[in-house]
């Protein structure tokens, strides 16, 4: 690598309140709501940067991530039974982005970083049972249904201010 290129790796633990949700309605009439939240993530990323001199650094970053997603399901349907499956389990994903840092002193730098985050949440669903519903209930007629959010990917963007201490 030339004197102006910088390469490295980063191991990071993060807590987040990133959330999303979706709703649906049926003709029974009933409403159904799925919400999910990223609890925490552990990520390993590579960084490749360019420093023009003067204590500045611009870089790209990317790598794998392992996260815990928490789910909430609610419904106004009181006739059927609803059982969440694979709730609160760890899921794999990846991150990619870039940023810039400015060295304030020999050991301290400030920066700004953008990350795109994607996790595979395809294993979570809610199993619908007959409950107290009669034989003409649509879920009973279907022979049992598994409901899930429309999007099985959990994507979000983050913009972060950073402060680094080098030792």
């Amino acid at each position: 690598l030339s004197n102006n290129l910088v390469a490295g790796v980063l191991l990071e633990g993060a807590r987040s309140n990133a959330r999303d949700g979706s709703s649906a309605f049926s003709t029974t009439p009933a409403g159904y709501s799925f919400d999910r939240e990223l609890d925490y993530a552990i990520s390993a990323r590579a960084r490749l940067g360019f420093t023009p001199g003067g204590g500045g650094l611009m870089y790209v970053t990317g790598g794998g991530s392992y996260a815990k997603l928490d789910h909430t399901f609610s419904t106004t349907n009181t006739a059927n039974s609803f059982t969440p499956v694979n709730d609160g389990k760890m899921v794999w994903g990846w991150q990619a982005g870039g940023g810039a840092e400015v060295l304030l002193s020999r050991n301290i730098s400030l920066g700004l970083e953008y990350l795109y985050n994607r996790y595979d949440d395809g294993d979570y669903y809610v199993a619908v049972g007959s409950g107290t519903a009669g034989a003409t209930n649509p879920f009973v007629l279907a022979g049992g249904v598994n409901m899930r959010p429309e999007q099985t990917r959990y994507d979000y963007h983050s913009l972060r201010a950073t402060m680094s201490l080098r030792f």
Side-chain angles (χ1 to χ4, degrees), residues 8-9 16 22 37 41-43 45 51 55 61 67 85-86 91 120 136:
V9 293
S16 176
S22 59
E37 177 180 357
I42 301 164
S43 307
R45 293 191 309 273
T51 179
T61 185
V85 178
N86 292 326
V91 296
D120 178 15
T136 59

Side-chain angles (χ1 to χ4, degrees), residues 29-92:
Y32 307 89
S33 177
F34 290 91
D35 295 296
R36 54 189 172 178
E37 177 180 357
L38 179 74
D39 188 11
Y40 63 88
I42 301 164
S43 307
R45 293 191 309 273
R47 287 173 83 179
L48 180 61
F50 174 76
T51 179
L57 170 68
M58 295 169 282
Y59 63 89
V60 294
T61 185
S65 187
Y66 195 53
K68 182 174 182 285
L69 295 178
D70 294 324
H71 301 85
T72 305
F73 173 77
S74 61
T75 181
T76 58
N77 179 333
T78 58
N80 295 96
S81 62
F82 299 90
T83 306
V85 178
N86 292 326
D87 182 24
K89 83 176 231 200
M90 300 294 286
V91 296
W92 284 101

Side-chain angles (χ1 to χ4, degrees), residues 75-138:
T75 181
T76 58
N77 179 333
T78 58
N80 295 96
S81 62
F82 299 90
T83 306
V85 178
N86 292 326
D87 182 24
K89 83 176 231 200
M90 300 294 286
V91 296
W92 284 101
W94 55 270
Q95 301 174 317
E101 286 187 16
V102 172
L103 200 59
L104 297 179
S105 71
R106 181 180 169 158
N107 297 39
I108 298 174
S109 66
L110 293 178
L112 188 63
E113 179 178 69
Y114 164 79
L115 281 177
Y116 174 76
N117 306 266
R118 173 175 281 180
Y119 295 95
D120 178 15
D121 191 28
D123 292 338
Y124 170 76
Y125 63 92
V126 175
V128 182
S130 59
T132 61
T136 59
N137 180 277

Side-chain angles (χ1 to χ4, degrees), residues 136-159:
T136 59
N137 180 277
F139 291 119
V140 174
L141 289 173
V145 172
N146 292 333
M147 298 172 61
R148 71 180 66 232
E150 180 182 1
Q151 292 295 323
T152 58
R153 293 187 328 239
Y154 184 72
D155 300 343
Y156 71 96
H157 305 267
S158 57
L159 184 61

